[in-house]
Amino acid sequence: MKIICIGMNYSEHVRELPSVWDEQTPREAPREPVFFIKPDTALLRNNDPFYLPDFSQDVQYECELVVRINRLCKGIEERFAHRCYEEVGLGIDFTARDLQRRCKTEGLPWEIAKGFDHSAAIAPVFVPKAELPDIQNIHFSMDLNSERKQTGCTGDMIFSVDRIIAYVSQFVTLRIGDLLFTGTPVGVGQVHIGDRITAELEGRPMLDFQIK
C-alpha cells in the first residue's frame, strides 16, 4: 500500500504557509491538487508513541481527514470517485519542517522531510461514511496537551475528496488499502517530547498518543 498526501488544500492554511516556510511572498491557492507520496514505513498505527527523530529540530503536526481506498482506481471520473472508498479516519502528517525549508531553499525534493519512518500516524479505527454526514461536510479537530490547535471542515477544502481521487488516479493507480491524506487546515505547529496529541472526527475520539 501507499500513502498519498495532498498539500495546500485549505485556504487558511495556504495563507499561513509563508510564516511556516519563512517566506516573504504570499502563497496562492493551487489550481490543481498538489500531492506527494509517503512509503508504507511511514505508518504509525494503534496510537503508538511518536518518537522525535534526531535529524530534525522542528517536527510539526498536520491533522488531516484520511480516506481508505477500497477498490482499484485508475483514471476514474470524478462522478464515480465516491465508489472508491467506504471509510474515513484521521491522521497526522508529521513534517520535519527544518529539513523541508532547507530542501525548498536549495531547490531539492523534500521527501526526507515528509517520508521518514512513522511520519504518518493513522487512527486505529475508521468510520463508515454511511454513518457520517455528507463527506464534504465533516468536522474534525486536533488538540495538543488538551489545547485546541486545529479545527477543520471538509466543506472548506479547495478540492473535494472526489476531485482529489479523480485527479490523482490520472497519474497513480490507487489500490485497495491505499491511504489518502486530504490536506490540513490552518494551525500547524511544532511538537516536543512529553506532548500528547488527541483528535476527534464528528465528536468521535480517533487519536490519542504521546510524543517521546
Side-chain angles (χ1 to χ4, degrees), residues 142-162:
M142 194 215 85
D143 292 358
L144 185 68
N145 303 323
S146 300
E147 180 181 351
R148 185 60 44 87
K149 293 296 184 179
Q150 290 190 280
T151 300
C153 175
T154 56
D156 296 327
M157 286 180 170
I158 298 172
F159 305 107
S160 69
V161 172
D162 291 352

Side-chain angles (χ1 to χ4, degrees), residues 62-188:
E62 299 181 17
C63 185
E64 311 190 15
L65 183 83
V66 179
V67 172
R68 182 155 56 194
I69 301 299
N70 71 339
R71 65 171 61 189
L72 190 72
C73 300
K74 172 62 178 176
I76 194 163
E77 295 181 34
E78 184 175 347
R79 63 194 175 116
F80 298 126
H82 67 278
R83 300 176 180 175
C84 296
Y85 60 98
E86 292 295 338
E87 298 176 307
V88 298
L90 288 183
I92 305 293
D93 168 17
F94 284 110
T95 304
R97 196 71 72 190
D98 47 356
L99 300 187
Q100 187 184 41
R101 293 189 192 105
R102 188 188 74 195
C103 291
K104 284 173 59 62
T105 299
E106 297 175 1
L108 301 173
W110 32 266
E111 276 81 0
I112 61 171
K114 286 284 194 178
F116 58 91
D117 288 353
H118 301 149
S119 62
I122 190 74
V125 297
F126 277 67
V127 180
K129 66 181 182 182
E131 297 180 11
L132 295 166
D134 174 13
I135 193 71
Q136 289 307 141
N137 190 30
I138 296 176
H139 297 82
F140 61 97
S141 62
M142 194 215 85
D143 292 358
L144 185 68
N145 303 323
S146 300
E147 180 181 351
R148 185 60 44 87
K149 293 296 184 179
Q150 290 190 280
T151 300
C153 175
T154 56
D156 296 327
M157 286 180 170
I158 298 172
F159 305 107
S160 69
V161 172
D162 291 352
R163 172 74 180 111
I164 291 168
I165 289 174
Y167 182 81
V168 172
S169 72
Q170 295 179 55
F171 308 96
V172 179
T173 299
L174 302 176
R175 293 176 171 171
I176 296 172
D178 285 353
L179 299 175
L180 178 64
F181 280 60
T182 59
T184 192
V186 68
V188 303

Side-chain angles (χ1 to χ4, degrees), residues 7 9-10 33 39 55 80 101 129 166 180 190 204:
N9 200 27
Y10 288 82
F55 51 73
F80 298 126
R101 293 189 192 105
K129 66 181 182 182
L180 178 64
Q190 189 174 6
R204 303 183 188 208

Side-chain angles (χ1 to χ4, degrees), residues 2-93:
K2 53 189 173 291
I3 305 162
I4 299 169
C5 302
I6 304 300
M8 298 185 291
N9 200 27
Y10 288 82
S11 296
E12 289 297 321
H13 175 58
V14 172
R15 282 191 276 273
E16 80 173 336
L17 282 177
S19 61
V20 171
W21 288 344
D22 291 337
E23 296 178 340
Q24 301 300 318
T25 305
R27 283 264 162 178
E28 294 185 0
R31 296 182 180 180
E32 299 286 356
V34 175
F35 72 92
F36 57 92
I37 296 176
K38 295 190 182 211
D40 59 0
T41 50
L43 276 181
L44 180 67
R45 303 175 184 268
N46 303 318
N47 279 321
D48 289 342
F50 173 76
Y51 289 86
L52 285 174
D54 57 10
F55 51 73
S56 174
Q57 302 303 310
D58 185 10
V59 174
Q60 297 190 3
Y61 59 80
E62 299 181 17
C63 185
E64 311 190 15
L65 183 83
V66 179
V67 172
R68 182 155 56 194
I69 301 299
N70 71 339
R71 65 171 61 189
L72 190 72
C73 300
K74 172 62 178 176
I76 194 163
E77 295 181 34
E78 184 175 347
R79 63 194 175 116
F80 298 126
H82 67 278
R83 300 176 180 175
C84 296
Y85 60 98
E86 292 295 338
E87 298 176 307
V88 298
L90 288 183
I92 305 293
D93 168 17

